[in-house]
Amino acid sequence: MRFIHFASLVLLLSSFAFVGDRPAYRLFTAAGQPADYDQMLTELAQADVVLFGEQHNDALTHWLELQVAKDLQKLKKPGQLVLGMEMFERDVQPLVARYAAGTLADTAFARQARPWSNYHTDYHPLVLFARENKIPVIGTNVPRPFAQAVARGSLKALDKLPAADRALLPPLPLQVDYELPGYKKMAAMFGGDSKAHGAGAQNIIQAQALKDATMAHFIRTSRQDGQTLLHFNGSFHSDNHDGIGAYLRQYAPKLSVRTLSVVTQEQLQQLDKDQLNVADFVIIVPVDASKTY
């Protein structure tokens, strides 16, 4: 019986192991250079706020969110990590806090907190991780009826709200910068300049701005000195450093903010030109990656 030399066997196996390697994702800097995950974590851990721009229905994105949360916790001291989530509205924050603290049952939380339809597959692991590790969870989004009222009747719909409702919103009156890239992109969906295409386009952008400003406001008010607040939101709320980022610069210009954005591409070898500078770190996932809905 012939024996293959061990070194030769290792070389032979390694030659097969990396042929056709298909990574699940690739990480890049804003400039399109390959980025190191551990170096990214070190930078994120030093930030006051991290805006993780996700694809809501991408299974790989949600796995990555959980890994980033777990790894940041290892780099932070107890009490220095906070999770913020677009997926919960401000009026259910008491329920979110009780669940994260372990004083509200799963069934009651699911029944009362109006979680998104993909909560159990995509966000429950994050909230459960926070609960098990005593990490605060902050719901940051505007209650849907207020955004719907603005979409129908402009920001003027908020003028006569009682104090209890205003407590769920950012400071009013709200200023909207229609020149922000994200809002200009929304305007293009209506055929051009939002101001030139009627109140309907303006109202939709104002509703989006209300969501962005609400999230920024409660990110600012929910973190304490020395903490990193890791916030999960749709990438359109933080891409190009606008949206939430623009309102954070308005409300708390001294905060150190870092952004991540998940994008989909046919190829993972390099970042497409139109994705450059979309965030401080850009994660490419395959177009055909598994979707949760």
Side-chain angles (χ1 to χ4, degrees):
M1 182 176 182
R2 299 182 62 185
F3 292 93
I4 301 176
H5 190 273
F6 179 74
S8 299
L9 179 61
V10 170
L11 182 62
L12 179 65
L13 291 176
S14 65
S15 67
F16 286 104
F18 297 101
V19 172
D21 183 34
R22 296 293 297 274
Y25 74 93
R26 283 270 171 81
L27 178 64
F28 292 87
T29 66
Q33 298 299 315
D36 179 80
Y37 179 84
D38 290 335
Q39 290 180 355
M40 178 191 73
L41 279 176
T42 299
E43 185 171 331
L44 299 184
Q46 296 171 352
D48 298 321
V49 176
V50 176
L51 301 177
F52 197 131
E54 67 167 36
Q55 301 292 322
H56 291 321
N57 65 346
D58 184 76
L60 183 54
T61 296
H62 297 300
W63 176 81
L64 281 166
E65 289 174 333
L66 183 59
Q67 304 316 306
V68 169
K70 288 180 175 180
D71 292 335
L72 276 180
Q73 187 211 21
K74 296 174 185 176
L75 296 178
K76 305 293 290 187
K77 295 179 180 179
Q80 288 189 338
L81 181 63
V82 179
L83 301 187
M85 303 184 71
E86 173 196 359
M87 301 79 202
F88 296 109
E89 298 166 19
R90 283 305 301 171
D91 59 319
V92 301
Q93 177 55 33
L95 298 173
V96 174
R98 285 179 58 197
Y99 183 78
T103 60
L104 184 66
D106 281 294
T107 52
F109 180 72
R111 185 175 64 255
Q112 300 174 32
R114 303 194 308 274
W116 287 10
S117 60
N118 60 327
Y119 166 73
H120 286 288
T121 56
D122 298 345
Y123 303 111
H124 181 254
L126 270 172
V127 180
L128 186 61
F129 162 72
R131 178 174 179 159
E132 292 173 345
N133 291 276
K134 296 180 170 54
I135 298 172
V137 179
I138 310 298
T140 60
N141 208 354
V142 65
R144 193 167 303 172
F146 300 135
Q148 291 173 337
V150 171
R152 290 192 299 264
S154 85
L155 287 167
K156 292 181 179 180
L158 308 177
D159 288 347
K160 296 182 180 181
L161 289 178
D165 288 343
R166 282 176 171 257
L168 303 172
L169 301 174
L172 299 176
L174 184 67
Q175 301 299 316
V176 181
D177 181 358
Y178 294 98
E179 295 304 309
L180 290 175
Y183 300 160
K184 290 182 72 173
K185 187 175 182 179
M186 290 183 69
M189 295 171 61
F190 291 91
D193 184 352
S194 63
K195 297 181 180 180
H197 286 266
Q202 264 199 343
N203 293 352
I204 296 298
I205 294 172
Q206 288 178 3
Q208 177 82 352
L210 178 63
K211 295 178 182 180
D212 292 335
T214 303
M215 287 188 270
H217 173 65
F218 289 105
I219 287 171
R220 177 181 67 87
T221 59
S222 299
R223 69 166 296 278
Q224 301 176 8
D225 290 343
Q227 290 181 330
T228 294
L229 194 150
L230 173 59
H231 189 266
F232 303 105
N233 53 264
S235 60
F236 44 87
H237 287 294
S238 55
D239 278 356
N240 303 300
H241 305 278
D242 67 7
I244 299 171
Y247 282 104
L248 280 174
R249 290 192 294 275
Q250 178 181 328
Y251 297 148
K254 293 184 179 180
L255 284 181
S256 170
V257 180
R258 294 292 179 270
T259 60
L260 289 77
S261 183
V262 177
V263 304
T264 58
Q265 293 185 181
E266 293 287 350
Q267 55 81 26
L268 276 62
Q269 286 70 36
Q270 62 183 9
L271 197 61
D272 290 347
K273 289 184 178 180
D274 59 353
Q275 306 292 2
L276 294 173
N277 300 308
V278 73
D280 294 310
F281 295 96
V282 183
I283 301 165
I284 304 178
V285 298
V287 171
D288 59 356
S290 297
K291 302 297 187 288
T292 56
Y293 64 90

